[in-house]
PDB file of all heavy atoms in Angstrom:
ATOM      1  N   ASP K   1     -10.573  16.593 -57.910  1.00 96.00           N
ATOM      2  CA  ASP K   1     -11.938  17.177 -58.038  1.00 96.00           C
ATOM      3  C   ASP K   1     -12.001  18.421 -57.166  1.00 96.00           C
ATOM      4  O   ASP K   1     -12.026  18.301 -55.957  1.00 96.00           O
ATOM      5  CB  ASP K   1     -12.946  16.130 -57.604  1.00 96.00           C
ATOM      6  CG  ASP K   1     -14.416  16.627 -57.827  1.00 96.00           C
ATOM      7  OD1 ASP K   1     -14.626  17.783 -58.155  1.00 96.00           O
ATOM      8  OD2 ASP K   1     -15.292  15.770 -57.689  1.00 96.00           O
ATOM      9  N   ASP K   2     -12.072  19.585 -57.789  1.00 93.00           N
ATOM     10  CA  ASP K   2     -12.096  20.834 -57.049  1.00 93.00           C
ATOM     11  C   ASP K   2     -13.443  21.111 -56.398  1.00 93.00           C
ATOM     12  O   ASP K   2     -13.553  22.027 -55.536  1.00 93.00           O
ATOM     13  CB  ASP K   2     -11.765  21.963 -58.041  1.00 93.00           C
ATOM     14  CG  ASP K   2     -11.361  23.201 -57.294  1.00 93.00           C
ATOM     15  OD1 ASP K   2     -10.796  23.153 -56.221  1.00 93.00           O
ATOM     16  OD2 ASP K   2     -11.620  24.321 -57.858  1.00 93.00           O
ATOM     17  N   ALA K   3     -14.441  20.277 -56.674  1.00 93.00           N
ATOM     18  CA  ALA K   3     -15.744  20.489 -56.070  1.00 93.00           C
ATOM     19  C   ALA K   3     -15.861  19.791 -54.744  1.00 93.00           C
ATOM     20  O   ALA K   3     -16.804  20.027 -53.971  1.00 93.00           O
ATOM     21  CB  ALA K   3     -16.823  19.935 -57.053  1.00 93.00           C
ATOM     22  N   GLN K   4     -14.863  18.911 -54.413  1.00 94.00           N
ATOM     23  CA  GLN K   4     -14.903  18.231 -53.158  1.00 94.00           C
ATOM     24  C   GLN K   4     -14.291  19.073 -51.986  1.00 94.00           C
ATOM     25  O   GLN K   4     -13.506  20.030 -52.267  1.00 94.00           O
ATOM     26  CB  GLN K   4     -14.103  16.921 -53.261  1.00 94.00           C
ATOM     27  CG  GLN K   4     -14.704  15.932 -54.245  1.00 94.00           C
ATOM     28  CD  GLN K   4     -16.091  15.454 -53.858  1.00 94.00           C
ATOM     29  OE1 GLN K   4     -16.322  15.151 -52.666  1.00 94.00           O
ATOM     30  NE2 GLN K   4     -16.983  15.331 -54.832  1.00 94.00           N
ATOM     31  N   THR K   5     -14.574  18.712 -50.791  1.00 94.00           N
ATOM     32  CA  THR K   5     -14.006  19.356 -49.621  1.00 94.00           C
ATOM     33  C   THR K   5     -13.005  18.379 -49.006  1.00 94.00           C
ATOM     34  O   THR K   5     -13.303  17.220 -48.780  1.00 94.00           O
ATOM     35  CB  THR K   5     -15.101  19.688 -48.560  1.00 94.00           C
ATOM     36  OG1 THR K   5     -16.022  20.609 -49.144  1.00 94.00           O
ATOM     37  CG2 THR K   5     -14.420  20.318 -47.297  1.00 94.00           C
ATOM     38  N   TYR K   6     -11.778  18.883 -48.784  1.00 96.00           N
ATOM     39  CA  TYR K   6     -10.740  18.011 -48.240  1.00 96.00           C
ATOM     40  C   TYR K   6     -10.339  18.368 -46.832  1.00 96.00           C
ATOM     41  O   TYR K   6     -10.302  19.596 -46.510  1.00 96.00           O
ATOM     42  CB  TYR K   6      -9.473  18.062 -49.143  1.00 96.00           C
ATOM     43  CG  TYR K   6      -9.820  17.666 -50.598  1.00 96.00           C
ATOM     44  CD1 TYR K   6     -10.083  18.656 -51.566  1.00 96.00           C
ATOM     45  CD2 TYR K   6      -9.936  16.316 -50.915  1.00 96.00           C
ATOM     46  CE1 TYR K   6     -10.413  18.256 -52.869  1.00 96.00           C
ATOM     47  CE2 TYR K   6     -10.241  15.953 -52.244  1.00 96.00           C
ATOM     48  CZ  TYR K   6     -10.487  16.921 -53.205  1.00 96.00           C
ATOM     49  OH  TYR K   6     -10.823  16.555 -54.486  1.00 96.00           O
ATOM     50  N   GLU K   7     -10.074  17.386 -45.987  1.00 95.00           N
ATOM     51  CA  GLU K   7      -9.745  17.686 -44.588  1.00 95.00           C
ATOM     52  C   GLU K   7      -8.525  18.552 -44.496  1.00 95.00           C
ATOM     53  O   GLU K   7      -7.456  18.232 -45.065  1.00 95.00           O
ATOM     54  CB  GLU K   7      -9.461  16.332 -43.840  1.00 95.00           C
ATOM     55  CG  GLU K   7      -9.216  16.522 -42.381  1.00 95.00           C
ATOM     56  CD  GLU K   7      -9.015  15.201 -41.664  1.00 95.00           C
ATOM     57  OE1 GLU K   7      -9.152  14.117 -42.302  1.00 95.00           O
ATOM     58  OE2 GLU K   7      -8.812  15.230 -40.434  1.00 95.00           O
ATOM     59  N   ASP K   8      -8.640  19.653 -43.816  1.00 95.00           N
ATOM     60  CA  ASP K   8      -7.582  20.631 -43.611  1.00 95.00           C
ATOM     61  C   ASP K   8      -7.135  21.239 -44.968  1.00 95.00           C
ATOM     62  O   ASP K   8      -6.054  21.808 -45.061  1.00 95.00           O
ATOM     63  CB  ASP K   8      -6.378  20.028 -42.895  1.00 95.00           C
ATOM     64  CG  ASP K   8      -6.695  19.552 -41.505  1.00 95.00           C
ATOM     65  OD1 ASP K   8      -7.510  20.240 -40.847  1.00 95.00           O
ATOM     66  OD2 ASP K   8      -6.142  18.549 -41.048  1.00 95.00           O
ATOM     67  N   GLY K   9      -7.924  21.035 -46.008  1.00 97.00           N
ATOM     68  CA  GLY K   9      -7.624  21.565 -47.321  1.00 97.00           C
ATOM     69  C   GLY K   9      -6.471  20.863 -48.047  1.00 97.00           C
ATOM     70  O   GLY K   9      -5.878  21.387 -48.965  1.00 97.00           O
ATOM     71  N   ILE K  10      -6.178  19.607 -47.583  1.00 98.00           N
ATOM     72  CA  ILE K  10      -5.053  18.846 -48.134  1.00 98.00           C
ATOM     73  C   ILE K  10      -5.542  17.726 -49.026  1.00 98.00           C
ATOM     74  O   ILE K  10      -6.339  16.864 -48.629  1.00 98.00           O
ATOM     75  CB  ILE K  10      -4.198  18.215 -47.015  1.00 98.00           C
ATOM     76  CG1 ILE K  10      -3.793  19.274 -45.974  1.00 98.00           C
ATOM     77  CG2 ILE K  10      -3.013  17.505 -47.602  1.00 98.00           C
ATOM     78  CD1 ILE K  10      -2.911  20.342 -46.537  1.00 98.00           C
ATOM     79  N   VAL K  11      -5.112  17.773 -50.276  1.00 98.00           N
ATOM     80  CA  VAL K  11      -5.416  16.717 -51.257  1.00 98.00           C
ATOM     81  C   VAL K  11      -4.303  15.662 -51.137  1.00 98.00           C
ATOM     82  O   VAL K  11      -3.097  15.979 -51.193  1.00 98.00           O
ATOM     83  CB  VAL K  11      -5.431  17.263 -52.698  1.00 98.00           C
ATOM     84  CG1 VAL K  11      -5.522  16.113 -53.675  1.00 98.00           C
ATOM     85  CG2 VAL K  11      -6.601  18.184 -52.893  1.00 98.00           C
ATOM     86  N   ARG K  12      -4.704  14.401 -50.860  1.00 98.00           N
ATOM     87  CA  ARG K  12      -3.746  13.351 -50.672  1.00 98.00           C
ATOM     88  C   ARG K  12      -3.827  12.306 -51.786  1.00 98.00           C
ATOM     89  O   ARG K  12      -4.640  12.465 -52.683  1.00 98.00           O
ATOM     90  CB  ARG K  12      -3.929  12.705 -49.297  1.00 98.00           C
ATOM     91  CG  ARG K  12      -3.834  13.763 -48.164  1.00 98.00           C
ATOM     92  CD  ARG K  12      -3.604  13.108 -46.805  1.00 98.00           C
ATOM     93  NE  ARG K  12      -3.659  14.132 -45.722  1.00 98.00           N
ATOM     94  CZ  ARG K  12      -2.604  14.895 -45.336  1.00 98.00           C
ATOM     95  NH1 ARG K  12      -1.456  14.780 -45.954  1.00 98.00           N
ATOM     96  NH2 ARG K  12      -2.761  15.811 -44.379  1.00 98.00           N
ATOM     97  N   GLY K  13      -2.970  11.321 -51.796  1.00 97.00           N
ATOM     98  CA  GLY K  13      -2.904  10.383 -52.868  1.00 97.00           C
ATOM     99  C   GLY K  13      -4.265   9.774 -53.297  1.00 97.00           C
ATOM    100  O   GLY K  13      -4.540   9.631 -54.453  1.00 97.00           O
ATOM    101  N   ASP K  14      -5.068   9.393 -52.262  1.00 97.00           N
ATOM    102  CA  ASP K  14      -6.287   8.729 -52.567  1.00 97.00           C
ATOM    103  C   ASP K  14      -7.350   9.708 -53.200  1.00 97.00           C
ATOM    104  O   ASP K  14      -8.353   9.294 -53.729  1.00 97.00           O
ATOM    105  CB  ASP K  14      -6.927   8.133 -51.288  1.00 97.00           C
ATOM    106  CG  ASP K  14      -6.136   6.920 -50.780  1.00 97.00           C
ATOM    107  OD1 ASP K  14      -5.369   6.398 -51.591  1.00 97.00           O
ATOM    108  OD2 ASP K  14      -6.261   6.612 -49.607  1.00 97.00           O
ATOM    109  N   ASP K  15      -7.067  10.991 -53.100  1.00 97.00           N
ATOM    110  CA  ASP K  15      -7.977  12.009 -53.634  1.00 97.00           C
ATOM    111  C   ASP K  15      -7.693  12.334 -55.121  1.00 97.00           C
ATOM    112  O   ASP K  15      -8.502  13.014 -55.779  1.00 97.00           O
ATOM    113  CB  ASP K  15      -7.903  13.309 -52.856  1.00 97.00           C
ATOM    114  CG  ASP K  15      -8.167  13.094 -51.358  1.00 97.00           C
ATOM    115  OD1 ASP K  15      -9.082  12.345 -51.080  1.00 97.00           O
ATOM    116  OD2 ASP K  15      -7.454  13.684 -50.538  1.00 97.00           O
ATOM    117  N   LEU K  16      -6.560  11.940 -55.646  1.00 98.00           N
ATOM    118  CA  LEU K  16      -6.139  12.307 -56.990  1.00 98.00           C
ATOM    119  C   LEU K  16      -6.947  11.608 -58.061  1.00 98.00           C
ATOM    120  O   LEU K  16      -7.317  10.464 -57.945  1.00 98.00           O
ATOM    121  CB  LEU K  16      -4.674  11.978 -57.164  1.00 98.00           C
ATOM    122  CG  LEU K  16      -3.669  12.772 -56.255  1.00 98.00           C
ATOM    123  CD1 LEU K  16      -2.282  12.182 -56.409  1.00 98.00           C
ATOM    124  CD2 LEU K  16      -3.680  14.254 -56.671  1.00 98.00           C
ATOM    125  N   GLU K  17      -7.186  12.350 -59.169  1.00 97.00           N
ATOM    126  CA  GLU K  17      -7.803  11.737 -60.348  1.00 97.00           C
ATOM    127  C   GLU K  17      -6.754  11.337 -61.364  1.00 97.00           C
ATOM    128  O   GLU K  17      -6.940  10.355 -62.133  1.00 97.00           O
ATOM    129  CB  GLU K  17      -8.798  12.762 -60.984  1.00 97.00           C
ATOM    130  CG  GLU K  17      -9.948  13.127 -60.116  1.00 97.00           C
ATOM    131  CD  GLU K  17     -10.969  13.971 -60.850  1.00 97.00           C
ATOM    132  OE1 GLU K  17     -10.635  14.595 -61.856  1.00 97.00           O
ATOM    133  OE2 GLU K  17     -12.096  14.073 -60.401  1.00 97.00           O
ATOM    134  N   ALA K  18      -5.587  11.983 -61.317  1.00 97.00           N
ATOM    135  CA  ALA K  18      -4.498  11.648 -62.251  1.00 97.00           C
ATOM    136  C   ALA K  18      -3.213  12.090 -61.653  1.00 97.00           C
ATOM    137  O   ALA K  18      -3.191  13.107 -60.906  1.00 97.00           O
ATOM    138  CB  ALA K  18      -4.687  12.312 -63.654  1.00 97.00           C
ATOM    139  N   PHE K  19      -2.126  11.354 -61.939  1.00 98.00           N
ATOM    140  CA  PHE K  19      -0.820  11.790 -61.511  1.00 98.00           C
ATOM    141  C   PHE K  19       0.239  11.110 -62.355  1.00 98.00           C
ATOM    142  O   PHE K  19       0.465   9.913 -62.326  1.00 98.00           O
ATOM    143  CB  PHE K  19      -0.555  11.388 -59.998  1.00 98.00           C
ATOM    144  CG  PHE K  19       0.721  12.011 -59.464  1.00 98.00           C
ATOM    145  CD1 PHE K  19       0.637  13.168 -58.671  1.00 98.00           C
ATOM    146  CD2 PHE K  19       1.959  11.468 -59.697  1.00 98.00           C
ATOM    147  CE1 PHE K  19       1.767  13.740 -58.153  1.00 98.00           C
ATOM    148  CE2 PHE K  19       3.086  12.080 -59.207  1.00 98.00           C
ATOM    149  CZ  PHE K  19       3.017  13.212 -58.452  1.00 98.00           C
ATOM    150  N   ASP K  20       0.886  11.939 -63.203  1.00 98.00           N
ATOM    151  CA  ASP K  20       1.929  11.500 -64.090  1.00 98.00           C
ATOM    152  C   ASP K  20       3.194  12.199 -63.775  1.00 98.00           C
ATOM    153  O   ASP K  20       3.204  13.440 -63.565  1.00 98.00           O
ATOM    154  CB  ASP K  20       1.569  11.706 -65.567  1.00 98.00           C
ATOM    155  CG  ASP K  20       0.218  11.119 -65.960  1.00 98.00           C
ATOM    156  OD1 ASP K  20      -0.083  10.034 -65.367  1.00 98.00           O
ATOM    157  OD2 ASP K  20      -0.446  11.660 -66.844  1.00 98.00           O
ATOM    158  N   ILE K  21       4.365  11.554 -63.803  1.00 98.00           N
ATOM    159  CA  ILE K  21       5.634  12.151 -63.498  1.00 98.00           C
ATOM    160  C   ILE K  21       6.753  11.520 -64.353  1.00 98.00           C
ATOM    161  O   ILE K  21       6.702  10.350 -64.681  1.00 98.00           O
ATOM    162  CB  ILE K  21       5.980  11.987 -61.986  1.00 98.00           C
ATOM    163  CG1 ILE K  21       7.195  12.862 -61.558  1.00 98.00           C
ATOM    164  CG2 ILE K  21       6.163  10.506 -61.608  1.00 98.00           C
ATOM    165  CD1 ILE K  21       6.863  14.291 -61.404  1.00 98.00           C
ATOM    166  N   ALA K  22       7.700  12.340 -64.760  1.00 98.00           N
ATOM    167  CA  ALA K  22       8.806  11.914 -65.590  1.00 98.00           C
ATOM    168  C   ALA K  22      10.063  12.524 -65.063  1.00 98.00           C
ATOM    169  O   ALA K  22      10.094  13.664 -64.565  1.00 98.00           O
ATOM    170  CB  ALA K  22       8.617  12.284 -67.062  1.00 98.00           C
ATOM    171  N   PHE K  23      11.152  11.757 -65.104  1.00 98.00           N
ATOM    172  CA  PHE K  23      12.467  12.254 -64.631  1.00 98.00           C
ATOM    173  C   PHE K  23      13.465  12.306 -65.744  1.00 98.00           C
ATOM    174  O   PHE K  23      13.488  11.430 -66.643  1.00 98.00           O
ATOM    175  CB  PHE K  23      12.953  11.289 -63.509  1.00 98.00           C
ATOM    176  CG  PHE K  23      12.041  11.265 -62.317  1.00 98.00           C
ATOM    177  CD1 PHE K  23      11.152  10.148 -62.160  1.00 98.00           C
ATOM    178  CD2 PHE K  23      12.041  12.249 -61.395  1.00 98.00           C
ATOM    179  CE1 PHE K  23      10.289  10.114 -61.077  1.00 98.00           C
ATOM    180  CE2 PHE K  23      11.167  12.238 -60.289  1.00 98.00           C
ATOM    181  CZ  PHE K  23      10.316  11.151 -60.150  1.00 98.00           C
ATOM    182  N   TYR K  24      14.358  13.325 -65.696  1.00 98.00           N
ATOM    183  CA  TYR K  24      15.313  13.609 -66.749  1.00 98.00           C
ATOM    184  C   TYR K  24      16.712  13.763 -66.238  1.00 98.00           C
ATOM    185  O   TYR K  24      16.945  14.220 -65.077  1.00 98.00           O
ATOM    186  CB  TYR K  24      14.949  14.893 -67.488  1.00 98.00           C
ATOM    187  CG  TYR K  24      13.539  14.807 -68.133  1.00 98.00           C
ATOM    188  CD1 TYR K  24      12.422  15.194 -67.408  1.00 98.00           C
ATOM    189  CD2 TYR K  24      13.360  14.354 -69.434  1.00 98.00           C
ATOM    190  CE1 TYR K  24      11.141  15.111 -67.958  1.00 98.00           C
ATOM    191  CE2 TYR K  24      12.134  14.302 -70.013  1.00 98.00           C
ATOM    192  CZ  TYR K  24      11.007  14.710 -69.257  1.00 98.00           C
ATOM    193  OH  TYR K  24       9.769  14.601 -69.796  1.00 98.00           O
ATOM    194  N   ASP K  25      17.679  13.424 -67.050  1.00 98.00           N
ATOM    195  CA  ASP K  25      19.086  13.632 -66.648  1.00 98.00           C
ATOM    196  C   ASP K  25      19.448  15.137 -66.844  1.00 98.00           C
ATOM    197  O   ASP K  25      18.607  15.892 -67.318  1.00 98.00           O
ATOM    198  CB  ASP K  25      19.986  12.688 -67.428  1.00 98.00           C
ATOM    199  CG  ASP K  25      20.163  13.032 -68.909  1.00 98.00           C
ATOM    200  OD1 ASP K  25      19.783  14.185 -69.308  1.00 98.00           O
ATOM    201  OD2 ASP K  25      20.662  12.163 -69.685  1.00 98.00           O
ATOM    202  N   PRO K  26      20.674  15.529 -66.448  1.00 98.00           N
ATOM    203  CA  PRO K  26      21.003  16.963 -66.511  1.00 98.00           C
ATOM    204  C   PRO K  26      20.994  17.524 -67.930  1.00 98.00           C
ATOM    205  O   PRO K  26      20.943  18.751 -68.157  1.00 98.00           O
ATOM    206  CB  PRO K  26      22.413  16.976 -65.943  1.00 98.00           C
ATOM    207  CG  PRO K  26      22.412  15.833 -64.963  1.00 98.00           C
ATOM    208  CD  PRO K  26      21.663  14.742 -65.671  1.00 98.00           C
ATOM    209  N   GLN K  27      21.100  16.654 -68.955  1.00 97.00           N
ATOM    210  CA  GLN K  27      21.013  17.129 -70.339  1.00 97.00           C
ATOM    211  C   GLN K  27      19.635  17.173 -70.873  1.00 97.00           C
ATOM    212  O   GLN K  27      19.373  17.489 -72.063  1.00 97.00           O
ATOM    213  CB  GLN K  27      21.911  16.188 -71.222  1.00 97.00           C
ATOM    214  CG  GLN K  27      23.393  16.391 -71.006  1.00 97.00           C
ATOM    215  CD  GLN K  27      23.851  15.770 -69.685  1.00 97.00           C
ATOM    216  OE1 GLN K  27      23.490  14.649 -69.390  1.00 97.00           O
ATOM    217  NE2 GLN K  27      24.665  16.521 -68.946  1.00 97.00           N
ATOM    218  N   GLY K  28      18.653  16.816 -70.085  1.00 97.00           N
ATOM    219  CA  GLY K  28      17.240  16.847 -70.537  1.00 97.00           C
ATOM    220  C   GLY K  28      16.776  15.574 -71.179  1.00 97.00           C
ATOM    221  O   GLY K  28      15.690  15.513 -71.763  1.00 97.00           O
ATOM    222  N   ASN K  29      17.549  14.510 -71.109  1.00 98.00           N
ATOM    223  CA  ASN K  29      17.156  13.232 -71.701  1.00 98.00           C
ATOM    224  C   ASN K  29      16.283  12.449 -70.685  1.00 98.00           C
ATOM    225  O   ASN K  29      16.578  12.441 -69.499  1.00 98.00           O
ATOM    226  CB  ASN K  29      18.436  12.380 -71.994  1.00 98.00           C
ATOM    227  CG  ASN K  29      19.331  13.031 -73.004  1.00 98.00           C
ATOM    228  OD1 ASN K  29      18.885  13.437 -74.075  1.00 98.00           O
ATOM    229  ND2 ASN K  29      20.597  13.154 -72.634  1.00 98.00           N
ATOM    230  N   LEU K  30      15.188  11.880 -71.167  1.00 98.00           N
ATOM    231  CA  LEU K  30      14.257  11.089 -70.349  1.00 98.00           C
ATOM    232  C   LEU K  30      14.989   9.884 -69.719  1.00 98.00           C
ATOM    233  O   LEU K  30      15.703   9.139 -70.386  1.00 98.00           O
ATOM    234  CB  LEU K  30      13.106  10.644 -71.202  1.00 98.00           C
ATOM    235  CG  LEU K  30      12.109   9.710 -70.465  1.00 98.00           C
ATOM    236  CD1 LEU K  30      11.329  10.581 -69.431  1.00 98.00           C
ATOM    237  CD2 LEU K  30      11.125   9.119 -71.452  1.00 98.00           C
ATOM    238  N   ILE K  31      14.819   9.737 -68.441  1.00 98.00           N
ATOM    239  CA  ILE K  31      15.300   8.529 -67.708  1.00 98.00           C
ATOM    240  C   ILE K  31      14.172   7.540 -67.608  1.00 98.00           C
ATOM    241  O   ILE K  31      14.223   6.415 -68.052  1.00 98.00           O
ATOM    242  CB  ILE K  31      15.834   8.889 -66.291  1.00 98.00           C
ATOM    243  CG1 ILE K  31      16.905   9.967 -66.330  1.00 98.00           C
ATOM    244  CG2 ILE K  31      16.329   7.632 -65.615  1.00 98.00           C
ATOM    245  CD1 ILE K  31      17.300  10.443 -64.967  1.00 98.00           C
ATOM    246  N   GLN K  32      13.049   7.952 -66.969  1.00 98.00           N
ATOM    247  CA  GLN K  32      11.893   7.095 -66.801  1.00 98.00           C
ATOM    248  C   GLN K  32      10.681   7.917 -66.532  1.00 98.00           C
ATOM    249  O   GLN K  32      10.800   9.032 -65.939  1.00 98.00           O
ATOM    250  CB  GLN K  32      12.196   6.072 -65.702  1.00 98.00           C
ATOM    251  CG  GLN K  32      11.129   4.951 -65.682  1.00 98.00           C
ATOM    252  CD  GLN K  32      11.560   3.822 -64.645  1.00 98.00           C
ATOM    253  OE1 GLN K  32      12.500   3.937 -63.990  1.00 98.00           O
ATOM    254  NE2 GLN K  32      10.749   2.805 -64.589  1.00 98.00           N
ATOM    255  N   GLU K  33       9.529   7.454 -66.915  1.00 98.00           N
ATOM    256  CA  GLU K  33       8.291   8.130 -66.668  1.00 98.00           C
ATOM    257  C   GLU K  33       7.260   7.186 -66.112  1.00 98.00           C
ATOM    258  O   GLU K  33       7.275   5.982 -66.333  1.00 98.00           O
ATOM    259  CB  GLU K  33       7.783   8.779 -67.954  1.00 98.00           C
ATOM    260  CG  GLU K  33       7.684   7.887 -69.130  1.00 98.00           C
ATOM    261  CD  GLU K  33       7.507   8.636 -70.419  1.00 98.00           C
ATOM    262  OE1 GLU K  33       7.355   9.859 -70.430  1.00 98.00           O
ATOM    263  OE2 GLU K  33       7.521   7.968 -71.513  1.00 98.00           O
TER     264      GLU K  33
END
């Protein structure tokens, strides 16, 4: 939420609205998401 004020300007895990991540091998094949 960009409308909020964060201590020292740092957004931390509890402040997130969404967080998705995926990892790939060197050939670009999905390992896990």
Side-chain angles (χ1 to χ4, degrees):
D1 187 349
D2 196 31
Q4 298 295 319
T5 299
Y6 301 98
E7 184 177 359
D8 298 325
I10 306 298
V11 171
R12 305 197 185 275
D14 291 341
D15 302 318
L16 295 170
E17 293 187 343
F19 190 98
D20 304 330
I21 191 77
F23 298 100
Y24 300 89
D25 70 15
Q27 289 72 48
N29 301 308
L30 176 69
I31 304 173
Q32 193 171 2
E33 52 193 356

